[in-house]
Amino acid sequence: MMDVFTSPTPNGIKVPIALEELGIAYRLHQVDLSRGGASVPELRAVNPNAKIPAIVDRLADGQSVPVFESGAILLYIAGLKPGLIPTSAVAHASTLSWLFLQVAGLGPNFGNASYFLRNDPANLVAIERFHSEARRHLALLDQRLGESEWLNGEDYSIADIAHFSWAKSASYAGLSLLDYHHAQAWTSRIEQRGAVRRGIERCQTENSI
């Protein structure tokens, strides 16, 4: 059984969605972020950076496997069962490329744009820097989805899950998907998936620790 420490945030919903897609059983522990992750010893024991998401996979032989950082967790989960990462060389490499573009580019720029818009609105230099990068990354996503139904060019994958969790919350960064028609249609398709609905619902309803 896998223990999942997470919250209903763009980063936090990725892991339950992936687990639901593959039918992997897990216990979800919702972390109350208003207290700060460092105040939750169970989370800090798994992730020294005290950030969500984090998991502990408890194997049948008694071994415990801790994994933190959303991209690393998605790769770990995708390696447990087939279905979220392709085996063909081109699509596999494309999945990794788009996954890491999200964790290194789109996510941080969305997050920073949101932070300065809400907490330091007079800092026009920072706002323009991060908001323009957020727009640029969303435009890249939209362009790719105008070329292919899924990001890796083949099938729905962890790369789509990673980007979806942020794209659905574009307003978080002061953006609107109405300006990105391909991304909007893709987001709507993913939102209709039963596993996606279940993963998000569990993030929102499980008791916090």
Side-chain angles (χ1 to χ4, degrees), residues 53-88:
I55 68 169
V56 181
D57 193 10
R58 305 188 189 281
L59 306 183
D61 62 4
Q63 185 180 13
S64 294
V65 183
V67 191
F68 56 92
E69 291 297 318
S70 64
I73 297 170
L74 288 176
L75 282 170
Y76 179 82
I77 290 170
L80 297 177
K81 290 177 70 174
L84 287 179
I85 192 164
T87 56
S88 67

Side-chain angles (χ1 to χ4, degrees), residues 148-181:
S148 175
E149 182 179 11
W150 304 114
L151 289 175
N152 65 24
E154 188 174 284
D155 291 310
Y156 174 75
S157 73
I158 52 174
D160 296 284
I161 293 172
H163 277 86
F164 161 79
S165 68
W166 284 91
K168 74 181 290 294
S169 304
S171 59
Y172 183 74
L175 300 172
S176 172
L177 285 184
L178 294 175
D179 301 321
Y180 303 91
H181 303 300

Side-chain angles (χ1 to χ4, degrees), residues 4 6-9 12-18 20-21 26-31 164 168 190-208:
V4 177
T6 194
S7 297
T9 67
I13 65 174
K14 297 174 184 177
V15 174
I17 288 173
E20 293 285 347
E21 290 283 4
Y26 63 100
R27 286 181 293 260
L28 192 148
H29 310 278
Q30 186 183 150
V31 177
F164 161 79
K168 74 181 290 294
I190 295 176
E191 283 180 318
Q192 299 308 309
R193 298 176 69 92
V196 173
R197 294 197 299 269
R198 291 192 300 273
I200 293 174
E201 182 178 2
R202 286 196 63 176
C203 272
Q204 294 170 337
T205 60
E206 297 285 336
N207 292 330
S208 61

